[in-house]
């Protein structure tokens, strides 16, 4: 708990520096590129189009939610995953990227993962807007639960930051961690019902249960609840409690490991 309180104080104290570095990090992704920010959308949009063509036009799959087109069901599941995977990937390599800051005695390196997370959040905001516009274009009436996306984004951020504190600390000493994270994210995308409906395993209750053990299941289900079905997070009390217990444990462990290894960062980098 002391580490968390110390981190919160540091974030509040250096909030202007964190915000300025986050904006700079966001801009530098597209420096030297002719199309600039356009590239931010290309890969996710192409991914959505591929799955739409395969499952909706090719296999003509039955809509997972009655009366909802496949692409409208897919987007609220894949948008938070894009954010989570980008945040975790960038946080994992942040200490090497900002090694010149890590070596400064007066700089609190605990804020570097937060900077990367905020930079990823900026990208995520664009996709949330696209998701909402798409829902409106498909004739969905605005619902009060749309505001709930902020809550689930915060949950995904805490989960990514908790895992990220662990992976970025280990990555300083074990450079293969970045590749391991990338591979795990590729598998992880299929361990959450994003592209497929969980009802496929209705005859295998064990698989249904295992899917729900993945904490990110709660985020994907929450985005769909918010945008499509209009359900509030407190209507899933058991899953809400499970998610936050797991996420907070991961966050505390990740931050503890980060703090324990921090004195050796500058020597190795």
């Amino acid at each position: 708990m002391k580490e968390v309180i110390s981190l919160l104080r540091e974030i509040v104290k250096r909030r202007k520096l964190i915000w300025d570095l986050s904006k700079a990090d966001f801009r530098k992704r597209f420096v030297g590129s002719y199309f600039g920010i356009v590239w931010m959308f290309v890969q996710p949009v192409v991914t959505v189009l591929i799955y739409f063509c395969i499952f909706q036009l090719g296999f003509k799959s039955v809509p997972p939610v009655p009366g909802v087109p496949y692409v409208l069901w897919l987007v609220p599941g894949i948008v938070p995953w894009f954010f989570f995977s980008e945040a975790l990937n960038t946080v994992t390599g942040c200490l090497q990227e900002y090694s010149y800051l890590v070596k400064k005695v007066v700089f609190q390196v605990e804020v570097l993962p937060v900077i990367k997370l905020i930079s990823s959040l900026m990208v995520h905001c664009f996709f949330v807007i696209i998701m909402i516009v798409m829902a409106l274009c498909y004739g969905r009436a605005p619902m009060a639960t749309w505001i709930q996306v902020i809550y689930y984004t915060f949950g995904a951020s805490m989960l990514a930051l908790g895992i990220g504190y662990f992976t970025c600390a280990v990555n300083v000493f074990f450079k293969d961690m970045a590749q391991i994270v990338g591979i795990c994210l590729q598998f992880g995308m299929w361990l959450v019902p994003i592209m497929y409906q969980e009802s496929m395993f209705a005859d295998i209750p064990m698989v249904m249960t295992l899917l729900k053990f993945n904490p990110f299941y709660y985020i994907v289900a929450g985005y769909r609840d918010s945008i499509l079905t209009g359900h509030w997070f407190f209507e899933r009390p058991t899953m809400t409690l499970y998610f936050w217990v797991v996420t907070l444990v991961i966050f505390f462990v990740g931050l503890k490991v980060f703090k324990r290894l921090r004195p050796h960062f500058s020597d190795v980098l």
Side-chain angles (χ1 to χ4, degrees):
M1 186 59 68
K2 290 181 180 178
E3 286 85 354
V4 175
I5 295 174
S6 174
L7 175 63
L8 290 175
R9 286 176 178 170
E10 196 62 35
I11 291 174
V12 172
K13 180 181 177 181
R14 300 181 182 272
R15 58 188 181 278
K16 186 179 185 303
L17 174 64
I18 291 172
W19 178 244
D20 290 341
L21 288 174
S22 298
K23 290 190 293 183
D25 184 87
F26 176 78
R27 288 194 297 266
K28 77 178 183 180
R29 300 184 188 196
F30 313 107
V31 172
S33 172
Y34 284 110
F35 293 100
I37 201 170
V38 173
W39 291 115
M40 181 177 70
F41 300 99
V42 171
Q43 182 179 355
V45 170
V46 168
T47 301
V48 170
L49 287 175
I50 289 173
Y51 286 118
F52 170 72
C53 292
I54 292 174
F55 291 103
Q56 184 71 30
L57 303 180
F59 295 153
K60 299 185 183 299
S61 60
V62 177
V65 181
V68 177
Y70 177 78
V71 69
L72 192 58
W73 177 85
L74 171 66
V75 169
I78 208 167
V79 162
W81 180 259
F82 283 148
F83 162 62
F84 176 77
S85 58
E86 181 189 11
L88 187 53
N89 272 320
T90 55
V91 168
T92 298
C94 70
L95 297 181
Q96 281 86 355
E97 183 176 347
Y98 289 100
S99 59
Y100 61 94
L101 292 177
V102 176
K103 295 176 182 179
K104 290 183 178 295
V105 179
V106 296
F107 189 83
Q108 297 296 322
V109 294
E110 291 88 345
V111 303
L112 289 177
V114 178
I115 290 168
K116 283 295 186 180
L117 180 69
I118 294 174
S119 177
S120 299
L121 274 171
M122 293 178 186
V123 178
H124 182 59
C125 287
F126 284 103
F127 283 104
V128 169
I129 293 171
I130 291 173
M131 177 177 65
I132 291 174
V133 169
M134 182 177 294
L136 292 172
C137 291
Y138 269 91
R140 308 289 296 185
M143 296 184 291
T145 52
W146 285 10
I147 195 69
Q148 200 173 224
V149 166
I150 298 173
Y151 161 74
Y152 286 109
T153 298
F154 175 73
S157 300
M158 290 294 292
L159 182 60
L161 194 58
I163 299 173
Y165 270 119
F166 175 82
T167 57
C168 73
V170 174
N171 193 49
V172 173
F173 307 93
F174 181 63
K175 300 298 187 294
D176 293 336
M177 176 56 71
Q179 283 70 35
I180 293 173
V181 168
I183 292 172
C184 288
L185 286 171
Q186 289 182 3
F187 279 106
M189 189 173 187
W190 293 99
L191 296 177
V192 185
I194 295 175
M195 256 69 69
Y196 59 91
Q197 57 267 44
E198 60 194 85
S199 58
M200 291 172 55
F201 304 102
D203 297 333
I204 315 175
M206 183 179 294
V207 174
M208 297 277 286
T209 303
L210 288 174
L211 286 175
K212 293 179 180 180
F213 269 111
N214 185 337
F216 206 78
Y217 174 93
Y218 176 73
I219 301 298
V220 171
Y223 266 71
R224 286 174 175 150
D225 284 346
S226 302
I227 301 299
L228 300 178
T229 64
H231 293 148
W232 294 95
F233 72 92
F234 49 77
E235 296 180 50
R236 296 177 180 267
T238 304
M239 287 186 61
T240 298
L241 179 62
Y242 170 77
F243 172 81
W244 283 111
V245 168
V246 172
T247 298
L248 290 176
V249 168
I250 291 173
F251 186 84
F252 288 137
V253 171
L255 187 57
K256 188 72 174 178
V257 171
F258 186 94
K259 292 274 191 176
R260 188 66 62 88
L261 297 177
R262 182 184 59 181
H264 308 288
F265 290 163
S266 57
D267 295 334
V268 177
L269 293 173

